[in-house]
Amino acid sequence: MYLTLEQEKMLSGEYGWSVAKAMELLVRIGEALNAPRLIEVKHAHVSGVSYSNIGKYGLEFILDFYRSGGKARIYTTINPGCVDYSGYSSIIDNKFIREQLQIDSAFIGMGFKPVFTCIPYYYRPPISGEHLAWGESSAVIYANSIFGACTNREGGPIALAASITGYTYMAGLHLPENRVARVEVNFSPGTLSIPIGAIGLWIGDHVKTLPIIKGTNKMNYSNLKILLSSMAASGSHGLVVLEDITPRYTYSLEVEDKIYVEKNMVEDYVGDEVTTSDNILGYIGCPHLHPFELLEIVHLVRKHGSIRRGKLLITVPIEYMSKFKHILHELKARGVDVAAGTCPVVSVFHGKYDVVVTNSGKAAFYLRKIHGVKTRIAEISEVVKLVSRGAN
Ligand code: F3S
């Protein structure tokens, strides 16, 4: 791989151990992928930061960079960890608070922005054509498909290395030849009556090349976010071309095949049936809620009056605790459990639930795997209604 003089110096240790180690990681991965060179990135988003997921070896890896003087060279944000910083949640178990605080303090010490959210585009929306190094599959697919940015689905260590060096390897979705949509996905009449999270899981599972999805220009922001994150959970997509949404010059089309997604194909992806004897948890906020999604939930909860305590969890960026304090207090008073800077997928539950009902295909996909609970995907309004006081 070609390296500039400055990059050679970084690799040889002239800028210290952490920069050399980070550069070595990038060069090693880049060479394995036949990348011709490195490119500058504007924003790194570091995932794989939850102690309950990465354990003591992951913690040591991060501390090594911190103790050896690693510093963010570019704007860098942090994904959710396993601690609820709201102090509100009775559902998220903060059993790893000591370890998570070590991780978070190391990142803050390195100059990362402590946003603890999977919607980094809320803090810094990418510019079309801009190169990024983001971890967190739901954020990557959103950055590429909605904003027309260029980022691969990086693992936590690579995003960390990109932050410390300011570079990533020039391969994958940084190259125009890998941004070519070859299959057109259409929805047959009736398909969109199925929750969008289930449809996203089906597409991720069945469409293996980069698709252009038709009809998405009629979907709202929330549905696009859920569609994309669900696809990225069950499949390996980092970019999907969305008709009339993805900036035109950031991809090309060479369509060779057309798929029609029928209602009966996706129905099974909705998940398990819910019975009246099940201990249900409703969950909304994967990916973390945008402010106007929070307002939608307030509206729904007010409509139903109140929620059965401990039965509805929402997850938000940590900043909302101060920015939307009154709204969150109202939700809490009405029985909603709020967790900030975390989510149930990267943390530990306090109690035991038979089934989690959620609007998110991604949450359903991972909660089933990680926590071994049954899951069902439903529209936001159905999730709220199911756990409201008037429901039983
Ligand atoms: Fe975010 Fe957790 Fe979902 S990190 S995308 S809320 S799994």
Side-chain angles (χ1 to χ4, degrees), residues 45 47 79-81 116-119 136-139 229 283-289 315-316 342-347 360 362-363 366-367 370:
H45 179 69
S47 62
N79 221 38
F116 305 119
T117 186
C118 44
I119 54 167
E136 177 46 54
S137 64
S138 69
S229 58
Y283 171 48
I284 307 167
C286 171
H288 277 178
L289 296 172
T315 50
V316 297
T342 186
C343 83
V345 171
V346 298
S347 65
S360 165
K362 175 171 181 177
Y366 284 111
L367 288 173
I370 295 171

PDB file of all heavy atoms in Angstrom, residues 45 47 79-81 116-119 136-139 229 283-289 315-316 342-347 360 362-363 366-367 370, ligand 1:
ATOM      1  N   HIS A  45     -16.885   7.274  14.087  1.00  0.00           N
ATOM      2  CA  HIS A  45     -17.885   6.921  15.101  1.00  0.00           C
ATOM      3  C   HIS A  45     -17.515   5.542  15.626  1.00  0.00           C
ATOM      4  O   HIS A  45     -17.524   4.559  14.873  1.00  0.00           O
ATOM      5  CB  HIS A  45     -19.296   6.931  14.517  1.00  0.00           C
ATOM      6  CG  HIS A  45     -20.335   6.549  15.527  1.00  0.00           C
ATOM      7  ND1 HIS A  45     -20.669   7.362  16.600  1.00  0.00           N
ATOM      8  CD2 HIS A  45     -21.079   5.422  15.677  1.00  0.00           C
ATOM      9  CE1 HIS A  45     -21.584   6.769  17.339  1.00  0.00           C
ATOM     10  NE2 HIS A  45     -21.846   5.586  16.805  1.00  0.00           N
ATOM     11  N   SER A  47     -17.915   2.214  17.602  1.00  0.00           N
ATOM     12  CA  SER A  47     -18.877   1.265  18.194  1.00  0.00           C
ATOM     13  C   SER A  47     -18.080   0.192  18.935  1.00  0.00           C
ATOM     14  O   SER A  47     -16.860   0.286  19.039  1.00  0.00           O
ATOM     15  CB  SER A  47     -19.740   0.646  17.099  1.00  0.00           C
ATOM     16  OG  SER A  47     -18.917  -0.074  16.212  1.00  0.00           O
ATOM     17  N   ASN A  79     -20.597   5.300  20.441  1.00  0.00           N
ATOM     18  CA  ASN A  79     -21.844   4.525  20.446  1.00  0.00           C
ATOM     19  C   ASN A  79     -22.322   4.287  21.899  1.00  0.00           C
ATOM     20  O   ASN A  79     -21.564   4.511  22.843  1.00  0.00           O
ATOM     21  CB  ASN A  79     -21.567   3.178  19.752  1.00  0.00           C
ATOM     22  CG  ASN A  79     -22.686   2.742  18.840  1.00  0.00           C
ATOM     23  OD1 ASN A  79     -23.301   3.568  18.159  1.00  0.00           O
ATOM     24  ND2 ASN A  79     -22.955   1.452  18.810  1.00  0.00           N
ATOM     25  N   PRO A  80     -23.543   3.797  22.086  1.00  0.00           N
ATOM     26  CA  PRO A  80     -24.012   3.515  23.446  1.00  0.00           C
ATOM     27  C   PRO A  80     -23.198   2.437  24.161  1.00  0.00           C
ATOM     28  O   PRO A  80     -22.760   1.463  23.546  1.00  0.00           O
ATOM     29  CB  PRO A  80     -25.445   3.016  23.221  1.00  0.00           C
ATOM     30  CG  PRO A  80     -25.847   3.599  21.912  1.00  0.00           C
ATOM     31  CD  PRO A  80     -24.599   3.620  21.084  1.00  0.00           C
ATOM     32  N   GLY A  81     -23.036   2.629  25.450  1.00  0.00           N
ATOM     33  CA  GLY A  81     -22.434   1.613  26.313  1.00  0.00           C
ATOM     34  C   GLY A  81     -23.534   0.882  27.077  1.00  0.00           C
ATOM     35  O   GLY A  81     -24.721   0.997  26.734  1.00  0.00           O
ATOM     36  N   PHE A 116     -22.715   8.961  23.313  1.00  0.00           N
ATOM     37  CA  PHE A 116     -23.259   7.639  23.630  1.00  0.00           C
ATOM     38  C   PHE A 116     -24.570   7.365  22.891  1.00  0.00           C
ATOM     39  O   PHE A 116     -25.581   7.035  23.495  1.00  0.00           O
ATOM     40  CB  PHE A 116     -23.452   7.473  25.146  1.00  0.00           C
ATOM     41  CG  PHE A 116     -22.203   7.737  25.933  1.00  0.00           C
ATOM     42  CD1 PHE A 116     -22.140   8.759  26.870  1.00  0.00           C
ATOM     43  CD2 PHE A 116     -21.051   6.993  25.711  1.00  0.00           C
ATOM     44  CE1 PHE A 116     -20.971   9.015  27.579  1.00  0.00           C
ATOM     45  CE2 PHE A 116     -19.879   7.244  26.406  1.00  0.00           C
ATOM     46  CZ  PHE A 116     -19.835   8.257  27.342  1.00  0.00           C
ATOM     47  N   THR A 117     -24.505   7.497  21.591  1.00  0.00           N
ATOM     48  CA  THR A 117     -25.698   7.239  20.787  1.00  0.00           C
ATOM     49  C   THR A 117     -25.330   6.601  19.457  1.00  0.00           C
ATOM     50  O   THR A 117     -24.212   6.773  18.955  1.00  0.00           O
ATOM     51  CB  THR A 117     -26.511   8.532  20.549  1.00  0.00           C
ATOM     52  OG1 THR A 117     -27.735   8.173  19.887  1.00  0.00           O
ATOM     53  CG2 THR A 117     -25.762   9.538  19.690  1.00  0.00           C
ATOM     54  N   CYS A 118     -26.307   5.882  18.910  1.00  0.00           N
ATOM     55  CA  CYS A 118     -26.119   5.235  17.601  1.00  0.00           C
ATOM     56  C   CYS A 118     -26.684   6.096  16.484  1.00  0.00           C
ATOM     57  O   CYS A 118     -26.809   5.636  15.350  1.00  0.00           O
ATOM     58  CB  CYS A 118     -26.782   3.861  17.633  1.00  0.00           C
ATOM     59  SG  CYS A 118     -28.402   3.887  18.413  1.00  0.00           S
ATOM     60  N   ILE A 119     -27.077   7.347  16.787  1.00  0.00           N
ATOM     61  CA  ILE A 119     -27.510   8.265  15.715  1.00  0.00           C
ATOM     62  C   ILE A 119     -26.534   9.450  15.655  1.00  0.00           C
ATOM     63  O   ILE A 119     -26.932  10.598  15.854  1.00  0.00           O
ATOM     64  CB  ILE A 119     -28.994   8.710  15.878  1.00  0.00           C
ATOM     65  CG1 ILE A 119     -29.277   9.323  17.258  1.00  0.00           C
ATOM     66  CG2 ILE A 119     -29.927   7.546  15.633  1.00  0.00           C
ATOM     67  CD1 ILE A 119     -30.644  10.051  17.324  1.00  0.00           C
ATOM     68  N   GLU A 136     -21.043   0.783  13.899  1.00  0.00           N
ATOM     69  CA  GLU A 136     -22.489   0.803  14.124  1.00  0.00           C
ATOM     70  C   GLU A 136     -23.221   0.695  12.772  1.00  0.00           C
ATOM     71  O   GLU A 136     -23.419   1.692  12.059  1.00  0.00           O
ATOM     72  CB  GLU A 136     -22.926   2.053  14.899  1.00  0.00           C
ATOM     73  CG  GLU A 136     -24.428   2.203  15.113  1.00  0.00           C
ATOM     74  CD  GLU A 136     -25.094   0.918  15.581  1.00  0.00           C
ATOM     75  OE1 GLU A 136     -24.644   0.340  16.583  1.00  0.00           O
ATOM     76  OE2 GLU A 136     -26.054   0.469  14.924  1.00  0.00           O
ATOM     77  N   SER A 137     -23.637  -0.527  12.465  1.00  0.00           N
ATOM     78  CA  SER A 137     -24.206  -0.816  11.138  1.00  0.00           C
ATOM     79  C   SER A 137     -25.403   0.066  10.799  1.00  0.00           C
ATOM     80  O   SER A 137     -25.579   0.468   9.646  1.00  0.00           O
ATOM     81  CB  SER A 137     -24.598  -2.286  11.057  1.00  0.00           C
ATOM     82  OG  SER A 137     -25.635  -2.586  11.977  1.00  0.00           O
ATOM     83  N   SER A 138     -26.235   0.391  11.801  1.00  0.00           N
ATOM     84  CA  SER A 138     -27.442   1.189  11.505  1.00  0.00           C
ATOM     85  C   SER A 138     -27.068   2.616  11.114  1.00  0.00           C
ATOM     86  O   SER A 138     -27.740   3.242  10.281  1.00  0.00           O
ATOM     87  CB  SER A 138     -28.372   1.215  12.724  1.00  0.00           C
ATOM     88  OG  SER A 138     -27.799   1.965  13.780  1.00  0.00           O
ATOM     89  N   ALA A 139     -25.999   3.130  11.702  1.00  0.00           N
ATOM     90  CA  ALA A 139     -25.561   4.496  11.374  1.00  0.00           C
ATOM     91  C   ALA A 139     -24.847   4.523  10.028  1.00  0.00           C
ATOM     92  O   ALA A 139     -25.012   5.461   9.242  1.00  0.00           O
ATOM     93  CB  ALA A 139     -24.632   5.007  12.482  1.00  0.00           C
ATOM     94  N   SER A 229     -31.926   0.046   9.279  1.00  0.00           N
ATOM     95  CA  SER A 229     -31.234  -0.613  10.397  1.00  0.00           C
ATOM     96  C   SER A 229     -31.587  -2.101  10.454  1.00  0.00           C
ATOM     97  O   SER A 229     -30.739  -2.938  10.792  1.00  0.00           O
ATOM     98  CB  SER A 229     -31.566   0.070  11.728  1.00  0.00           C
ATOM     99  OG  SER A 229     -32.947   0.069  11.966  1.00  0.00           O
ATOM    100  N   TYR A 283     -40.693  -2.055  23.522  1.00  0.00           N
ATOM    101  CA  TYR A 283     -39.421  -1.330  23.391  1.00  0.00           C
ATOM    102  C   TYR A 283     -39.403  -0.494  22.101  1.00  0.00           C
ATOM    103  O   TYR A 283     -39.640  -1.010  21.017  1.00  0.00           O
ATOM    104  CB  TYR A 283     -38.238  -2.314  23.400  1.00  0.00           C
ATOM    105  CG  TYR A 283     -36.924  -1.641  23.060  1.00  0.00           C
ATOM    106  CD1 TYR A 283     -36.553  -0.449  23.698  1.00  0.00           C
ATOM    107  CD2 TYR A 283     -36.071  -2.151  22.088  1.00  0.00           C
ATOM    108  CE1 TYR A 283     -35.370   0.195  23.366  1.00  0.00           C
ATOM    109  CE2 TYR A 283     -34.885  -1.517  21.758  1.00  0.00           C
ATOM    110  CZ  TYR A 283     -34.547  -0.335  22.403  1.00  0.00           C
ATOM    111  OH  TYR A 283     -33.385   0.323  22.072  1.00  0.00           O
ATOM    112  N   ILE A 284     -39.108   0.791  22.257  1.00  0.00           N
ATOM    113  CA  ILE A 284     -38.988   1.708  21.112  1.00  0.00           C
ATOM    114  C   ILE A 284     -37.707   2.525  21.323  1.00  0.00           C
ATOM    115  O   ILE A 284     -37.452   3.018  22.419  1.00  0.00           O
ATOM    116  CB  ILE A 284     -40.206   2.663  21.020  1.00  0.00           C
ATOM    117  CG1 ILE A 284     -41.525   1.877  21.018  1.00  0.00           C
ATOM    118  CG2 ILE A 284     -40.116   3.514  19.756  1.00  0.00           C
ATOM    119  CD1 ILE A 284     -42.753   2.739  21.238  1.00  0.00           C
ATOM    120  N   GLY A 285     -36.918   2.653  20.262  1.00  0.00           N
ATOM    121  CA  GLY A 285     -35.695   3.461  20.409  1.00  0.00           C
ATOM    122  C   GLY A 285     -34.461   2.755  19.905  1.00  0.00           C
ATOM    123  O   GLY A 285     -33.349   3.058  20.331  1.00  0.00           O
ATOM    124  N   CYS A 286     -34.638   1.834  18.981  1.00  0.00           N
ATOM    125  CA  CYS A 286     -33.504   1.184  18.319  1.00  0.00           C
ATOM    126  C   CYS A 286     -33.670   1.394  16.824  1.00  0.00           C
ATOM    127  O   CYS A 286     -34.594   0.843  16.252  1.00  0.00           O
ATOM    128  CB  CYS A 286     -33.450  -0.302  18.627  1.00  0.00           C
ATOM    129  SG  CYS A 286     -32.230  -1.196  17.617  1.00  0.00           S
ATOM    130  N   PRO A 287     -32.806   2.197  16.187  1.00  0.00           N
ATOM    131  CA  PRO A 287     -31.813   3.107  16.751  1.00  0.00           C
ATOM    132  C   PRO A 287     -32.453   4.177  17.657  1.00  0.00           C
ATOM    133  O   PRO A 287     -33.663   4.403  17.590  1.00  0.00           O
ATOM    134  CB  PRO A 287     -31.183   3.762  15.515  1.00  0.00           C
ATOM    135  CG  PRO A 287     -31.488   2.819  14.371  1.00  0.00           C
ATOM    136  CD  PRO A 287     -32.801   2.193  14.709  1.00  0.00           C
ATOM    137  N   HIS A 288     -31.603   4.827  18.451  1.00  0.00           N
ATOM    138  CA  HIS A 288     -32.074   5.847  19.390  1.00  0.00           C
ATOM    139  C   HIS A 288     -33.058   6.820  18.734  1.00  0.00           C
ATOM    140  O   HIS A 288     -32.939   7.133  17.546  1.00  0.00           O
ATOM    141  CB  HIS A 288     -30.882   6.661  19.924  1.00  0.00           C
ATOM    142  CG  HIS A 288     -30.178   5.989  21.059  1.00  0.00           C
ATOM    143  ND1 HIS A 288     -29.061   6.519  21.661  1.00  0.00           N
ATOM    144  CD2 HIS A 288     -30.454   4.840  21.754  1.00  0.00           C
ATOM    145  CE1 HIS A 288     -28.665   5.730  22.643  1.00  0.00           C
ATOM    146  NE2 HIS A 288     -29.480   4.704  22.718  1.00  0.00           N
ATOM    147  N   LEU A 289     -33.968   7.316  19.558  1.00  0.00           N
ATOM    148  CA  LEU A 289     -35.036   8.181  19.028  1.00  0.00           C
ATOM    149  C   LEU A 289     -34.527   9.563  18.634  1.00  0.00           C
ATOM    150  O   LEU A 289     -33.770  10.197  19.366  1.00  0.00           O
ATOM    151  CB  LEU A 289     -36.119   8.352  20.094  1.00  0.00           C
ATOM    152  CG  LEU A 289     -36.851   7.072  20.494  1.00  0.00           C
ATOM    153  CD1 LEU A 289     -37.759   7.342  21.686  1.00  0.00           C
ATOM    154  CD2 LEU A 289     -37.656   6.527  19.324  1.00  0.00           C
ATOM    155  N   THR A 315     -35.297   4.321  24.444  1.00  0.00           N
ATOM    156  CA  THR A 315     -33.872   4.645  24.595  1.00  0.00           C
ATOM    157  C   THR A 315     -33.519   5.855  23.743  1.00  0.00           C
ATOM    158  O   THR A 315     -33.949   5.976  22.593  1.00  0.00           O
ATOM    159  CB  THR A 315     -32.975   3.437  24.237  1.00  0.00           C
ATOM    160  OG1 THR A 315     -33.365   2.905  22.975  1.00  0.00           O
ATOM    161  CG2 THR A 315     -33.049   2.363  25.287  1.00  0.00           C
ATOM    162  N   VAL A 316     -32.729   6.751  24.340  1.00  0.00           N
ATOM    163  CA  VAL A 316     -32.438   8.062  23.730  1.00  0.00           C
ATOM    164  C   VAL A 316     -30.958   8.425  23.950  1.00  0.00           C
ATOM    165  O   VAL A 316     -30.309   7.866  24.840  1.00  0.00           O
ATOM    166  CB  VAL A 316     -33.319   9.168  24.367  1.00  0.00           C
ATOM    167  CG1 VAL A 316     -34.789   8.930  24.103  1.00  0.00           C
ATOM    168  CG2 VAL A 316     -33.068   9.282  25.867  1.00  0.00           C
ATOM    169  N   THR A 342     -27.699   4.204  26.277  1.00  0.00           N
ATOM    170  CA  THR A 342     -27.566   2.738  26.223  1.00  0.00           C
ATOM    171  C   THR A 342     -28.746   2.165  25.445  1.00  0.00           C
ATOM    172  O   THR A 342     -29.566   2.895  24.898  1.00  0.00           O
ATOM    173  CB  THR A 342     -27.503   2.158  27.652  1.00  0.00           C
ATOM    174  OG1 THR A 342     -27.226   0.770  27.571  1.00  0.00           O
ATOM    175  CG2 THR A 342     -28.794   2.381  28.434  1.00  0.00           C
ATOM    176  N   CYS A 343     -28.844   0.864  25.410  1.00  0.00           N
ATOM    177  CA  CYS A 343     -30.016   0.177  24.842  1.00  0.00           C
ATOM    178  C   CYS A 343     -29.990  -1.259  25.344  1.00  0.00           C
ATOM    179  O   CYS A 343     -28.951  -1.732  25.811  1.00  0.00           O
ATOM    180  CB  CYS A 343     -30.007   0.230  23.326  1.00  0.00           C
ATOM    181  SG  CYS A 343     -28.992  -1.031  22.550  1.00  0.00           S
ATOM    182  N   PRO A 344     -31.118  -1.978  25.247  1.00  0.00           N
ATOM    183  CA  PRO A 344     -31.134  -3.348  25.799  1.00  0.00           C
ATOM    184  C   PRO A 344     -30.244  -4.328  25.050  1.00  0.00           C
ATOM    185  O   PRO A 344     -29.852  -5.347  25.622  1.00  0.00           O
ATOM    186  CB  PRO A 344     -32.609  -3.753  25.709  1.00  0.00           C
ATOM    187  CG  PRO A 344     -33.253  -2.792  24.798  1.00  0.00           C
ATOM    188  CD  PRO A 344     -32.450  -1.542  24.809  1.00  0.00           C
ATOM    189  N   VAL A 345     -29.914  -4.024  23.786  1.00  0.00           N
ATOM    190  CA  VAL A 345     -29.071  -4.961  23.022  1.00  0.00           C
ATOM    191  C   VAL A 345     -27.635  -4.956  23.548  1.00  0.00           C
ATOM    192  O   VAL A 345     -26.969  -5.983  23.570  1.00  0.00           O
ATOM    193  CB  VAL A 345     -29.110  -4.618  21.510  1.00  0.00           C
ATOM    194  CG1 VAL A 345     -28.088  -5.430  20.725  1.00  0.00           C
ATOM    195  CG2 VAL A 345     -30.511  -4.839  20.950  1.00  0.00           C
ATOM    196  N   VAL A 346     -27.150  -3.796  23.990  1.00  0.00           N
ATOM    197  CA  VAL A 346     -25.752  -3.714  24.449  1.00  0.00           C
ATOM    198  C   VAL A 346     -25.653  -3.676  25.977  1.00  0.00           C
ATOM    199  O   VAL A 346     -24.606  -3.350  26.526  1.00  0.00           O
ATOM    200  CB  VAL A 346     -25.028  -2.481  23.839  1.00  0.00           C
ATOM    201  CG1 VAL A 346     -24.976  -2.577  22.332  1.00  0.00           C
ATOM    202  CG2 VAL A 346     -25.669  -1.166  24.283  1.00  0.00           C
ATOM    203  N   SER A 347     -26.763  -4.000  26.656  1.00  0.00           N
ATOM    204  CA  SER A 347     -26.722  -3.960  28.120  1.00  0.00           C
ATOM    205  C   SER A 347     -27.392  -5.207  28.700  1.00  0.00           C
ATOM    206  O   SER A 347     -27.681  -6.149  27.977  1.00  0.00           O
ATOM    207  CB  SER A 347     -27.389  -2.683  28.635  1.00  0.00           C
ATOM    208  OG  SER A 347     -28.749  -2.719  28.295  1.00  0.00           O
ATOM    209  N   SER A 360     -38.699  -2.188  15.990  1.00  0.00           N
ATOM    210  CA  SER A 360     -37.388  -2.301  15.352  1.00  0.00           C
ATOM    211  C   SER A 360     -37.040  -3.743  14.980  1.00  0.00           C
ATOM    212  O   SER A 360     -36.941  -4.616  15.858  1.00  0.00           O
ATOM    213  CB  SER A 360     -36.322  -1.761  16.324  1.00  0.00           C
ATOM    214  OG  SER A 360     -35.042  -2.157  15.896  1.00  0.00           O
ATOM    215  N   LYS A 362     -34.120  -4.561  13.937  1.00  0.00           N
ATOM    216  CA  LYS A 362     -32.781  -4.784  14.481  1.00  0.00           C
ATOM    217  C   LYS A 362     -32.864  -5.244  15.940  1.00  0.00           C
ATOM    218  O   LYS A 362     -32.203  -6.195  16.346  1.00  0.00           O
ATOM    219  CB  LYS A 362     -31.936  -3.506  14.386  1.00  0.00           C
ATOM    220  CG  LYS A 362     -30.590  -3.683  15.055  1.00  0.00           C
ATOM    221  CD  LYS A 362     -29.607  -2.575  14.832  1.00  0.00           C
ATOM    222  CE  LYS A 362     -28.301  -2.931  15.548  1.00  0.00           C
ATOM    223  NZ  LYS A 362     -27.237  -1.979  15.363  1.00  0.00           N
ATOM    224  N   ALA A 363     -33.677  -4.550  16.743  1.00  0.00           N
ATOM    225  CA  ALA A 363     -33.804  -4.937  18.157  1.00  0.00           C
ATOM    226  C   ALA A 363     -34.360  -6.355  18.260  1.00  0.00           C
ATOM    227  O   ALA A 363     -33.867  -7.168  19.052  1.00  0.00           O
ATOM    228  CB  ALA A 363     -34.697  -3.952  18.895  1.00  0.00           C
ATOM    229  N   TYR A 366     -31.581  -8.957  17.391  1.00  0.00           N
ATOM    230  CA  TYR A 366     -30.510  -9.164  18.374  1.00  0.00           C
ATOM    231  C   TYR A 366     -31.016  -9.564  19.759  1.00  0.00           C
ATOM    232  O   TYR A 366     -30.353 -10.320  20.464  1.00  0.00           O
ATOM    233  CB  TYR A 366     -29.624  -7.908  18.483  1.00  0.00           C
ATOM    234  CG  TYR A 366     -28.684  -7.793  17.305  1.00  0.00           C
ATOM    235  CD1 TYR A 366     -28.840  -6.806  16.355  1.00  0.00           C
ATOM    236  CD2 TYR A 366     -27.634  -8.703  17.136  1.00  0.00           C
ATOM    237  CE1 TYR A 366     -27.986  -6.704  15.255  1.00  0.00           C
ATOM    238  CE2 TYR A 366     -26.783  -8.615  16.049  1.00  0.00           C
ATOM    239  CZ  TYR A 366     -26.960  -7.615  15.113  1.00  0.00           C
ATOM    240  OH  TYR A 366     -26.118  -7.544  14.044  1.00  0.00           O
ATOM    241  N   LEU A 367     -32.171  -9.050  20.162  1.00  0.00           N
ATOM    242  CA  LEU A 367     -32.673  -9.409  21.502  1.00  0.00           C
ATOM    243  C   LEU A 367     -32.975 -10.906  21.584  1.00  0.00           C
ATOM    244  O   LEU A 367     -32.744 -11.551  22.604  1.00  0.00           O
ATOM    245  CB  LEU A 367     -33.912  -8.590  21.855  1.00  0.00           C
ATOM    246  CG  LEU A 367     -33.636  -7.114  22.164  1.00  0.00           C
ATOM    247  CD1 LEU A 367     -34.929  -6.337  22.336  1.00  0.00           C
ATOM    248  CD2 LEU A 367     -32.765  -6.984  23.420  1.00  0.00           C
ATOM    249  N   ILE A 370     -29.375 -12.473  21.764  1.00  0.00           N
ATOM    250  CA  ILE A 370     -28.549 -12.170  22.943  1.00  0.00           C
ATOM    251  C   ILE A 370     -29.257 -12.502  24.246  1.00  0.00           C
ATOM    252  O   ILE A 370     -28.670 -13.091  25.145  1.00  0.00           O
ATOM    253  CB  ILE A 370     -28.123 -10.679  22.920  1.00  0.00           C
ATOM    254  CG1 ILE A 370     -27.202 -10.438  21.721  1.00  0.00           C
ATOM    255  CG2 ILE A 370     -27.392 -10.290  24.208  1.00  0.00           C
ATOM    256  CD1 ILE A 370     -26.890  -8.983  21.462  1.00  0.00           C
TER     257      ILE A 370
HETATM  258 FE1  F3S B   1     -28.594   1.606  18.756  1.00  0.00          FE
HETATM  259 FE2  F3S B   1     -28.671  -0.366  20.427  1.00  0.00          FE
HETATM  260 FE3  F3S B   1     -30.173  -0.417  18.307  1.00  0.00          FE
HETATM  261  S1  F3S B   1     -26.867   0.733  19.826  1.00  0.00           S
HETATM  262  S2  F3S B   1     -29.025   0.683  16.781  1.00  0.00           S
HETATM  263  S3  F3S B   1     -30.327   1.065  19.990  1.00  0.00           S
HETATM  264  S4  F3S B   1     -28.985  -2.097  19.083  1.00  0.00           S
END
